[in-house]
Amino acid sequence: MDAAPALPTLSRAHSSLIRDLLHEKKARAEEGAFVVEGAKACLDLIRRHPQTVLSLTLSSRYLRRESESERRLRANLAVRQFVCSESTFQKLSDVEAPQGVLAVVRQPQWDENGVLGGSRVLGIYGDRLQDPANVGAIIRTAAALNLTGLWLSPDSADHFGPKVVRVTAATLLSLPVFRTSDIRALVNHHCALYSALVPSPGTISLKDIRSVPRRVMIAVGNEGAGLAGSILNLSAVKFAIPLGKNVESLNVAATVAIAAFYLNDLPIEG
């Protein structure tokens, strides 16, 4: 039995909300929500984080192709669900090849003091990270390595923007992410700043770090300009990842992955 006729037609108001959430950071902040698009991503959300889903919008074509198991999973989700035509969905979509399903999702709320209150902290601080793909990759890496969280400067890419969401999918709901305008707040929580730089005088090799404090924040900088001088002045350690010949630097997401994996495996000082 085709479930599409049982769903209400997407309203103009909800269509407008979806467009605003996809394209306007201010709307995402005011609504406390963001959009997840794609069949796999939405189904993962329903399985793993059903309480965060606020609504589903499905194209008539998606409903015709939906498997019985997917339909049962969706039917058990107690949220508003809407259907629209394929042409309407394409106008809503932020991807080149829409799959016909998207969810409006509640933004997670994290207690920053609680997150920083643990005896062991290994987090990432991103200074002016403007490429959404890099921010998304860093979130996935931090979640995979079970890091404490990610702190972003206010002028970094919005981590609830559609380009970041496409990279992170459900991991965005499991990793604490904060915006902070003053990195000194992290230092005041007794986090030692370990700043990642290109190899240069004044840096030590990552491989020469043999142990770490219980509370460390790995700082990485803007894709072109690097870390701000104010951050470097607060840094306990300035390190560089050894590179092969004719390679000047690594992508910031690769830097985070290598440094976090290495430091996470070191013994704790004291």
Side-chain angles (χ1 to χ4, degrees), residues 153-236:
S153 64
D155 45 3
S156 292
D158 180 14
H159 56 290
F160 292 118
K163 292 182 180 178
V164 176
V165 172
R166 282 200 294 274
V167 176
T168 61
T171 56
L172 185 56
L173 297 172
S174 58
L175 179 80
V177 181
F178 305 97
R179 318 290 289 199
T180 181
S181 59
D182 189 356
I183 196 172
R184 286 175 295 184
L186 300 175
V187 176
N188 290 340
H189 275 87
H190 309 291
C191 294
L193 287 185
Y194 277 43
S195 291
L197 304 172
V198 297
S200 60
T203 64
I204 64 170
S205 170
L206 177 65
K207 294 193 296 185
D208 290 336
I209 301 174
R210 305 297 185 185
S211 62
V212 291
R214 286 192 171 273
R215 307 173 65 78
V216 174
M217 197 67 56
I218 303 170
V220 292
N222 175 273
E223 290 85 355
L227 284 165
S230 58
I231 296 173
L232 296 178
N233 291 337
L234 293 170
S235 299

Side-chain angles (χ1 to χ4, degrees), residues 37-43 57-63 65 86 89-90 93 95-102:
E37 186 171 353
K40 183 179 186 304
C42 288
L43 290 170
T57 298
L58 310 109
S59 73
S60 52
R61 181 185 179 192
Y62 174 83
L63 289 173
R65 298 184 174 188
E86 193 68 20
F89 195 96
Q90 288 179 351
S93 176
V95 301
E96 291 185 3
Q99 296 179 349
V101 55
L102 61 79

Side-chain angles (χ1 to χ4, degrees), residues 22-268:
L22 280 170
H23 301 296
E24 298 180 19
K25 179 179 179 181
K26 181 180 179 182
R28 292 191 288 269
E30 290 177 348
E31 295 289 336
F34 63 102
V35 174
V36 172
E37 186 171 353
K40 183 179 186 304
C42 288
L43 290 170
D44 283 348
L45 273 177
I46 295 171
R47 292 187 185 99
R48 297 168 57 190
H49 304 281
Q51 73 283 357
T52 68
V53 181
L54 299 174
S55 71
L56 286 177
T57 298
L58 310 109
S59 73
S60 52
R61 181 185 179 192
Y62 174 83
L63 289 173
R64 289 195 300 270
R65 298 184 174 188
E66 187 178 43
S67 71
E68 187 58 35
S69 62
E70 292 169 348
R71 185 168 303 175
R72 285 196 301 268
L73 180 67
R74 180 175 57 77
N76 289 328
L77 187 66
V79 302
R80 295 178 299 167
Q81 300 186 31
F82 304 95
V83 62
C84 66
S85 67
E86 193 68 20
S87 60
T88 297
F89 195 96
Q90 288 179 351
K91 292 176 183 177
L92 289 177
S93 176
D94 190 62
V95 301
E96 291 185 3
Q99 296 179 349
V101 55
L102 61 79
V104 175
V105 181
R106 182 183 295 108
Q107 294 181 7
Q109 300 295 317
W110 302 98
D111 176 6
E112 186 173 11
N113 287 329
V115 170
L116 287 171
S119 60
R120 171 72 166 130
V121 172
L122 180 57
I124 307 296
Y125 178 80
D127 177 34
R128 298 166 295 155
L129 301 184
Q130 297 172 353
D131 185 340
N134 283 336
V135 173
I138 289 170
I139 290 172
R140 284 182 66 92
T141 295
L145 295 178
N146 200 30
L147 301 189
T148 305
L150 169 65
W151 282 258
L152 294 168
S153 64
D155 45 3
S156 292
D158 180 14
H159 56 290
F160 292 118
K163 292 182 180 178
V164 176
V165 172
R166 282 200 294 274
V167 176
T168 61
T171 56
L172 185 56
L173 297 172
S174 58
L175 179 80
V177 181
F178 305 97
R179 318 290 289 199
T180 181
S181 59
D182 189 356
I183 196 172
R184 286 175 295 184
L186 300 175
V187 176
N188 290 340
H189 275 87
H190 309 291
C191 294
L193 287 185
Y194 277 43
S195 291
L197 304 172
V198 297
S200 60
T203 64
I204 64 170
S205 170
L206 177 65
K207 294 193 296 185
D208 290 336
I209 301 174
R210 305 297 185 185
S211 62
V212 291
R214 286 192 171 273
R215 307 173 65 78
V216 174
M217 197 67 56
I218 303 170
V220 292
N222 175 273
E223 290 85 355
L227 284 165
S230 58
I231 296 173
L232 296 178
N233 291 337
L234 293 170
S235 299
V237 173
K238 301 170 187 175
F239 71 88
I241 296 171
L243 302 175
K245 294 180 180 179
N246 302 319
V247 178
E248 294 182 358
S249 63
L250 289 171
N251 172 279
V252 65
T255 297
V256 167
I258 294 168
F261 182 81
Y262 179 85
L263 295 176
N264 203 20
D265 201 41
L266 290 178
I268 304 298

